[in-house]
Amino acid sequence: MHTQRMAVSVSVLALLTLAACGTESGSRSGSGDGSDTVQSDVPVTGVAWSVDSLTVDGKKTEAPAGSRLEIDPKGRAKAGFGCNHISADARVEGDRITFGKPVSTQMACDETTEKAEKAALAAMDGEVTAKLSGEKLTLTTEGGDTIALSEEKPAGLVGTRWAVNTLLSGETATSVPADLPKERVPHLTFGEDGTVHGNSGCNSFHGKAAVEGSTIDFGPPAGTRKMCPEAEIEVERAVLAALDGPATYTIKGSTLTVTSKDGKGIGATAAPAKSEGTQEHG
């Protein structure tokens, strides 16, 4: 168990228990001596969890890279598998979590992601039992379906290669097309010298990116001026719109969200370290 975490990432599990709510949120169980004891809620809220796999009707589905689930302290669960956004109300009582009817955006996804999303929607509906073992969490439904999760380690903003998978416009989220050529998949890396470089979906780019607190002030980008198919140009426009002037950012585990003042934004996932430095000039 870690003793301290960056405020923009994952907090200490022990500090995220709902024990602070006293007997109101804990489950009471008789001790046999005429007194009641309070069973503290399993510390799952406020933590960024990486979804490892889902098992529904005895069929195990490996979760796509970057899949995650989080239950905020206000009782709202959010999950994502690299395409649609799933959300549901979530009430934690003792070792039980009761999910309300989950809702999801309706974007078209690749077959692997769609399969994982359907499994998650089935599991995140009703009451589940939460079992925490170290940094591993298992959610089990009354019917025996399970979601296996691991506590996400926080990725650093600087030096991480962020692969862009979601384009944001206000309350609307759109996935980056899965059929983009490998060298055209948008990504960005922040440098210690206050710069950012990467690929915006068509052209490679570089520019200034001054980070202060939870704000990034992007300078005008410079880069190549190649012509690309319209689908790639549309992605590029959306990415560059999010990296224009002052923007706010959050990091939860391996997920980065950048949102400009006009509501344009991107969602990105930390790519494996071995990917760093590749395809920068595509």
Side-chain angles (χ1 to χ4, degrees):
M1 192 70 68
H2 302 286
T3 58
Q4 189 174 4
R5 299 287 177 88
M6 294 176 62
V8 295
S9 55
V10 181
S11 302
V12 181
L13 280 176
L15 297 180
L16 289 168
T17 65
L18 301 184
C21 297
T23 59
E24 294 182 0
S25 65
S27 297
R28 290 187 177 276
S29 58
S31 62
D33 58 0
S35 63
D36 288 336
T37 59
V38 177
Q39 176 185 339
S40 296
D41 293 325
V42 175
V44 298
T45 61
V47 180
W49 296 101
S50 173
V51 182
D52 301 326
S53 63
L54 305 100
T55 302
V56 177
D57 294 332
K59 297 179 180 179
K60 183 177 180 180
T61 301
E62 296 297 329
S67 300
R68 63 190 308 278
L69 167 70
E70 182 173 5
I71 303 175
D72 65 33
K74 295 182 179 180
R76 191 67 179 171
K78 296 181 179 180
F81 297 84
C83 186
N84 284 294
H85 298 267
I86 301 171
S87 62
D89 291 329
R91 185 176 71 253
V92 182
E93 294 179 306
D95 65 348
R96 299 296 178 93
I97 302 173
T98 303
F99 291 106
K101 190 70 176 178
V103 295
S104 173
T105 54
Q106 299 297 317
M107 295 183 288
C109 312
D110 62 84
E111 184 178 353
T112 300
T113 301
E114 184 177 352
K115 184 177 180 181
E117 287 183 351
K118 287 182 178 179
L121 287 168
M124 290 176 60
D125 188 5
E127 187 176 90
V128 301
T129 300
K131 181 179 180 181
L132 187 64
S133 178
E135 296 177 355
K136 298 288 187 179
L137 174 68
T138 302
L139 305 180
T140 305
T141 69
E142 293 182 344
D145 298 336
T146 62
I147 304 178
L149 312 98
S150 300
E151 182 188 356
E152 285 188 340
K153 299 297 184 292
L157 176 69
V158 174
T160 299
R161 187 177 192 270
W162 296 101
V164 179
N165 50 37
T166 306
L167 306 175
L168 307 172
S169 180
E171 297 298 318
T172 303
T174 305
S175 60
V176 171
D179 57 354
L180 285 181
K182 184 177 180 180
E183 67 275 10
R184 297 289 186 265
V185 175
H187 59 84
L188 61 158
T189 302
F190 294 90
E192 294 182 358
D193 57 352
T195 62
V196 62
H197 68 274
N199 189 290
S200 51
C202 174
N203 290 281
S204 58
F205 73 94
H206 63 275
K208 296 291 185 181
V211 181
E212 183 174 353
S214 60
T215 301
I216 306 173
D217 192 0
F218 292 98
T224 57
R225 295 180 178 275
K226 292 180 288 189
M227 297 299 293
C228 298
E230 184 60 26
E232 296 169 25
I233 292 294
E234 288 181 3
V235 170
E236 179 165 88
R237 291 194 191 106
V239 171
L240 293 179
L243 310 181
D244 182 17
T248 58
Y249 81 94
T250 59
I251 297 176
K252 294 183 178 180
S254 60
T255 300
L256 167 71
T257 302
V258 178
T259 309
S260 67
K261 59 183 179 181
D262 63 358
K264 303 295 184 182
I266 57 172
T269 301
K274 64 181 180 180
S275 297
E276 178 59 42
T278 63
Q279 306 295 353
E280 295 294 344
H281 304 289

